[in-house]
Amino acid sequence: MKKYMKHMWFALVAVMALAASAEARIRIDLTDANSDPLPIALVPFDGETADEREVGQDIRDVVAANLQNSGLFDVVDEKAHLQSLESLRISGPIFSEWRIINMEALMIGQVEIKGSGNNRKVRLEFRLYDIHEEKQIVGKVYTVDLRYWRHIAHRVSDDIYTALTGEGGIFTSRIVHIGEEAGKDGRVVKKLCVMDQDGGNYQCLTDGSHLVLTPRFNPQAQKIIYMSYAKGVPRLYLLDLPTGRQEILGDFEGLNSSPRFSPDGKAVVMTLTKGHEGNPEIYRMDLGNRKLTRLTFHRGIDTSPSFSPDGKNIVFNSNRGGKPALYIMDADGNKVRRLTFGDYSAYAPEWSPRGDLIAFVKAHDGKFSISVIDPEGYEQRQLTESFMDESPTWSPNGRVIVFARQIDNRTELFTIDLTGYNERMLTTPNGASDPAWSPLLK
């Protein structure tokens, strides 16, 4: 098992807010799916040397891609900028020139590279302005190991997103998934892989010599739980990404599958078939003492448990009523009630971190789509339309869903806004399935 960017967690040397920040007058309405994207200008980060200007351009381009891909921002082409970098250096923002090209917000900043060799660090300062109010909205300084300049780009993206929407961002997060590629014998080789939410910093953590399935992030830490068939036996493993340390979490008789963490990261719910004639039931494990507690007791198949964000309830999939449907129970297994009804089957639920919706796979007329439903069952919306969409998982702010889609003989990852708009494919080196979103990096 490889260590994943071990030193990343200690690389952020300094973060400080610049003075004179103010509440933004401009604000994106996230409740209106038909609202126009916010026009914003992102000036390349300035620098005294060619190397600094190159890094500044790279950082600006990542920020631009993040904001543009969110569907909430319209990043204007640099060629449309009227005020030059030289003018910005001398005079600062001349807001009237940005109003001429109908901008609502403006980002400017500088980068400085310090040190030499492997000890080089980049210091980045940025400011975000409200063009109409002619006021600074936010300003910050970051200093980080130069190797992790992409992380700073994601931090700046989150800062801008939060300032202009009022909600937490998603850009300093990662997506773990199963990478799929054709082996020499023609069989599909599956690896445990992880990447930034935009596909950058792609890395596979296993070599494909054994089957791996259902990876899930701890919501409080950069830890992953997943199932592996190493040595031919299905076991649950717990992997610490910063250190690369892993341990066997479960070595149970029969099937071990569908693991998910509790909101506080101190427990795991999973599906086991141990001790009940191969019938899948849902269990909870306390990670402190490894004590197992059985939560479901039914002859039907109970699987795919997911906690509510307050930890008080669990949604799961069961065929106890005939066809597969979603059910909700208290976290101790009591008060089971059915959530979905109708002439369709429901699978793979995941509770939004906001608590207001549950994403799931809806199977109807031979097609599998991603849908959402509120926990009381009053409102349901289908978000995607395809032959085979599966494995929905929420972004840290509960605003976006990433899922897997089968296209011909290959599976790809897609994202879609919870309104059903802005569907977009994520680029990966090979096929990808079974995604799970990480919490924001600190």
Side-chain angles (χ1 to χ4, degrees):
M1 180 67 63
K2 301 176 182 178
K3 295 182 181 179
Y4 182 68
M5 296 177 68
K6 177 178 179 181
H7 301 291
M8 175 71 176
W9 322 110
F10 308 102
L12 197 60
V13 176
V15 180
M16 65 179 181
L18 299 175
S21 296
E23 184 73 18
R25 182 185 69 84
I26 50 177
R27 183 60 61 89
I28 297 173
D29 184 0
L30 296 176
T31 63
D32 184 1
N34 297 312
S35 63
D36 293 330
L38 180 80
I40 186 171
L42 306 176
V43 178
F45 292 93
D46 201 3
E48 292 187 0
T49 69
D51 283 349
E52 289 171 344
R53 289 191 291 273
E54 181 180 359
V55 171
Q57 183 70 56
D58 289 341
I59 292 175
R60 181 267 176 199
D61 290 345
V62 171
V63 175
N66 281 338
L67 298 182
Q68 190 73 38
N69 288 337
S70 74
L72 300 175
F73 298 86
D74 182 12
V75 180
V76 68
D77 192 297
E78 292 175 51
K79 296 176 182 178
H81 296 181
L82 297 182
Q83 188 176 12
S84 66
L85 270 173
E86 183 178 358
S87 172
L88 279 165
R89 290 190 199 109
I90 297 171
S91 307
I94 301 176
F95 295 104
S96 59
E97 296 196 9
W98 298 100
R99 284 195 290 269
I100 290 174
I101 58 173
N102 298 316
M103 291 298 99
E104 297 281 345
L106 167 68
M107 181 204 76
I108 64 172
Q110 301 82 36
V111 295
E112 179 184 2
I113 297 176
K114 301 179 178 181
S116 60
N118 293 330
N119 295 317
R120 292 200 301 170
K121 296 186 181 338
V122 58
R123 178 185 185 275
L124 179 144
E125 174 186 324
F126 89 96
R127 299 172 189 267
L128 180 68
Y129 292 95
D130 183 324
I131 297 298
H132 295 283
E133 291 290 311
E134 300 189 2
K135 291 181 178 179
Q136 178 177 308
I137 301 171
V138 64
K140 290 188 179 181
V141 174
Y142 293 106
T143 301
V144 69
D145 190 307
L146 181 58
R147 292 173 295 172
Y148 306 131
W149 64 266
R150 285 183 60 87
H151 177 68
I152 292 303
H154 294 320
R155 291 289 292 266
V156 172
S157 303
D158 277 336
D159 291 335
I160 295 174
Y161 182 101
T162 298
L164 297 178
T165 68
E167 293 195 357
I170 66 172
F171 304 114
T172 50
S173 61
R174 295 194 171 92
I175 296 174
V176 66
H177 61 281
I178 302 301
E180 302 180 351
E181 59 184 275
K184 295 180 180 180
D185 57 0
R187 293 185 298 176
V188 176
V189 175
K190 297 193 174 189
K191 302 178 181 181
L192 180 68
C193 303
V194 67
M195 62 184 180
D196 292 351
Q197 51 76 33
D198 62 349
N201 290 323
Y202 194 93
Q203 184 179 10
C204 289
L205 307 174
T206 60
D207 60 9
S209 60
H210 50 268
L211 180 65
V212 288
L213 297 169
T214 60
R216 298 292 180 263
F217 262 104
N218 186 316
Q220 300 297 328
Q222 292 295 308
K223 294 183 178 182
I224 295 170
I225 187 172
Y226 68 100
M227 185 169 71
S228 171
Y229 278 79
K231 300 181 181 179
V233 179
R235 294 187 177 96
L236 293 178
Y237 286 82
L238 185 64
L239 169 64
D240 184 279
L241 283 178
T243 64
R245 179 177 177 269
Q246 72 170 358
E247 57 183 307
I248 296 175
L249 185 62
D251 187 6
F252 309 109
E253 174 189 355
L255 175 70
N256 316 320
S257 66
S258 307
R260 285 192 191 274
F261 287 95
S262 60
D264 61 7
K266 296 180 179 180
V268 173
V269 284
M270 67 192 86
T271 301
L272 301 177
T273 60
K274 63 182 291 292
H276 24 80
E277 295 76 43
N279 185 55
E281 300 287 359
I282 295 173
Y283 284 76
R284 175 183 178 131
M285 173 186 280
D286 185 310
L287 294 178
N289 56 25
R290 302 300 168 91
K291 179 182 177 181
L292 270 178
T293 303
R294 183 174 172 179
L295 300 181
T296 60
F297 298 82
H298 199 278
R299 63 181 180 277
I301 297 174
D302 298 329
T303 186
S304 302
S306 174
F307 277 98
S308 61
D310 62 7
K312 295 180 180 180
N313 294 282
I314 295 172
V315 62
F316 64 100
N317 166 248
S318 178
N319 67 353
R320 61 178 61 192
K323 64 177 59 179
L326 303 187
Y327 292 78
I328 293 177
M329 62 182 172
D330 291 353
D332 60 3
N334 291 318
K335 297 181 180 178
V336 178
R337 56 270 193 198
R338 185 168 177 171
L339 179 62
T340 60
F341 299 85
D343 60 346
Y344 63 90
S345 297
Y347 305 91
E350 179 169 291
W351 217 306
S352 164
R354 300 158 61 95
D356 57 341
L357 293 170
I358 294 167
F360 68 99
V361 176
K362 181 178 182 179
H364 183 64
D365 289 340
K367 294 183 178 181
F368 294 76
S369 59
I370 305 302
S371 293
V372 293
I373 188 171
D374 74 277
E376 300 301 324
Y378 296 135
E379 179 187 0
Q380 183 180 150
R381 299 195 308 273
Q382 183 174 318
L383 303 183
T384 70
E385 183 70 43
S386 184
F387 170 70
M388 178 63 76
D389 291 343
E390 57 187 359
S391 306
T393 181
W394 293 94
S395 63
N397 66 359
R399 180 62 57 182
V400 183
I401 293 172
V402 63
F403 62 96
R405 170 173 290 171
Q406 185 175 322
I407 303 175
D408 297 325
N409 295 321
R410 181 180 168 109
T411 304
E412 303 281 3
L413 299 184
F414 284 75
T415 60
I416 192 165
D417 190 90
L418 63 82
T419 62
Y421 288 83
N422 196 35
E423 183 176 292
R424 184 174 70 87
M425 188 173 79
L426 293 176
T427 300
T428 54
N430 298 290
S433 63
D434 216 347
W437 222 309
S438 81
L440 293 179
L441 294 177
K442 305 299 185 183

